[in-house]
Amino acid sequence: MTLQARCTEAELAVLKELTAYLQVHVWTGPGTPVERHLALWQNLAFSLGEYRGGIDDYIYSLHSRDRLEVIIKESPGPHNELLQRLVSEADETFRNATRDDGGQSLSEFLMPAANRGWWYSRRPIIGPLNTYLDAGEA
């Protein structure tokens, strides 16, 4: 399901307004649209059982979740509330489709870093990426 299918027209308009706000007031360059980061995160969260992307795609989507965290902190009032709600819904779905392994599964693919978000410590519990990660643990 696409971002357009998960969001109303009004919500998409607010996300576009948020991107425009960030381009003017926060970012030093054009930046990646908020909708793009949200779509990557939602697509991962809502399709993890059937997820066909590889480990690099998975990590790229986790990086989009990082960007959403920063964007939420920089967002004004109503834009912030909408984005927080949409991200929280995807977060909950992601938590339900993953298990916390303390980051073990991703440790061979990522450089160690101090303040990684909780999403880096989780791995899928079903699907092709789970099978791939299980094979690497054997």
Side-chain angles (χ1 to χ4, degrees), residues 31-80:
T32 301
V34 174
E35 312 91 276
R36 173 80 175 132
H37 290 298
L38 182 60
L40 284 169
W41 182 238
Q42 286 181 332
N43 288 341
L44 177 67
F46 290 103
S47 69
L48 205 46
E50 301 86 39
Y51 187 71
R52 298 281 179 225
I55 191 68
D56 292 334
D57 299 314
Y58 181 78
I59 291 170
Y60 185 73
S61 294
L62 298 180
H63 290 319
S64 282
R65 179 59 180 83
D66 290 342
R67 294 298 304 146
L68 289 167
E69 192 72 11
V70 171
I71 291 167
I72 287 169
K73 289 177 183 164
E74 300 290 338
S75 301
H79 296 85
N80 184 293

Side-chain angles (χ1 to χ4, degrees), residues 11-38:
E11 290 171 334
L12 287 172
V14 170
L15 294 173
K16 289 181 185 307
E17 287 175 14
L18 178 55
T19 295
Y21 170 86
L22 293 168
Q23 288 171 330
V24 171
H25 299 286
V26 178
W27 297 335
T28 56
T32 301
V34 174
E35 312 91 276
R36 173 80 175 132
H37 290 298
L38 182 60

Side-chain angles (χ1 to χ4, degrees), residues 79-130:
H79 296 85
N80 184 293
E81 293 167 16
L82 171 65
L83 187 58
Q84 277 189 336
R85 181 178 56 78
L86 295 171
V87 170
S88 292
E89 289 169 1
D91 286 353
E92 185 64 26
T93 301
F94 182 78
R95 279 189 187 96
N96 290 335
T98 59
R99 68 177 170 85
D100 190 334
D101 75 348
Q104 280 301 116
S105 297
L106 298 181
S107 64
E108 72 178 271
F109 306 102
L110 291 167
M111 298 290 288
N115 303 313
R116 287 208 196 275
W118 59 265
W119 43 94
Y120 286 96
S121 68
R122 303 190 69 85
R123 58 159 296 166
I125 54 176
I126 60 171
L129 190 54
N130 174 59

